[in-house]
Amino acid sequence: MTIAFTFILLGLAALIYPLRKNRFYILNSAIIIGMAYFIETHYFRVQNIFSYRILLLFAVFQIITINITTFIAYGIDKLAAIRNDWRVPESDLHMLEFLGGWIGAFVAQKLFRHKTAKKSFQNMYKLMIVLEFVAVWLFIKFLKL
């Protein structure tokens, strides 16, 4: 399972160039691989690493961790804005939203009151949600699920 998750995450980084520079995607990948290693060593061993069960487990891990990572990224960006320090690039935040972290982004925006007044950011945020749903729809249609 750890090997399968590592291949999936590295494959995504190889296919999507901005992911290679996104520090939060690297953090998200490390969390997923760590969770997979923990579950694999403590609970069960997987015989077929590319079964539907493993891909479903990866999707669940991805959704949970990307939302936590996005929430953390927004918190770091808000703290940096308060301190007048280095900020998280908006492209990194939007990439995290597109990868499934839009719920974490929504919660962080409301809780931290961050990036809510900037109309261009909010428009791009909404576009990322639409693009994610389109990508998921195309993925499901391609796999004929």
Side-chain angles (χ1 to χ4, degrees):
M1 180 167 58
T2 307
I3 295 169
F5 287 6
T6 304
F7 279 126
I8 292 169
L9 293 166
L10 289 176
L12 282 173
L15 291 173
I16 304 170
Y17 180 74
L19 289 180
R20 296 179 209 164
K21 295 186 284 181
N22 191 327
R23 294 178 305 147
F24 295 103
Y25 177 76
I26 295 168
L27 171 67
N28 180 62
S29 299
I31 293 170
I32 290 175
I33 292 169
M35 289 170 51
Y37 177 76
F38 178 78
I39 288 175
E40 192 171 45
T41 56
H42 288 84
Y43 295 106
F44 63 90
R45 272 236 181 265
V46 178
Q47 302 302 328
N48 183 4
I49 62 171
F50 288 109
S51 66
Y52 280 114
R53 181 177 176 190
I54 295 301
L55 293 177
L56 182 62
L57 193 59
F58 174 78
V60 169
F61 280 10
Q62 172 66 15
I63 294 299
I64 291 170
T65 59
I66 199 70
N67 280 292
I68 293 169
T69 305
T70 304
F71 183 84
I72 291 169
Y74 269 83
I76 290 171
D77 191 45
K78 177 64 176 186
L79 189 62
I82 291 170
R83 293 181 177 172
N84 227 2
D85 202 4
W86 176 86
R87 303 283 303 274
V88 176
E90 287 186 1
S91 61
D92 287 0
L93 295 174
H94 290 311
M95 182 61 67
L96 293 170
E97 296 160 3
F98 174 73
L99 291 173
W102 58 272
I103 296 170
F106 179 78
V107 171
Q109 287 176 13
K110 299 303 176 193
L111 185 68
F112 301 137
R113 292 189 206 117
H114 188 54
K115 300 283 190 185
T116 56
K118 191 174 180 183
K119 294 295 179 194
S120 62
F121 186 88
Q122 286 298 311
N123 289 337
M124 187 59 81
Y125 168 70
K126 292 171 185 169
L127 178 64
M128 289 298 112
I129 294 171
V130 170
L131 289 176
E132 180 191 349
F133 280 112
V134 169
V136 168
W137 179 77
L138 287 172
F139 184 73
I140 289 171
K141 186 175 179 178
F142 176 74
L143 290 180
K144 296 178 174 126
L145 296 175

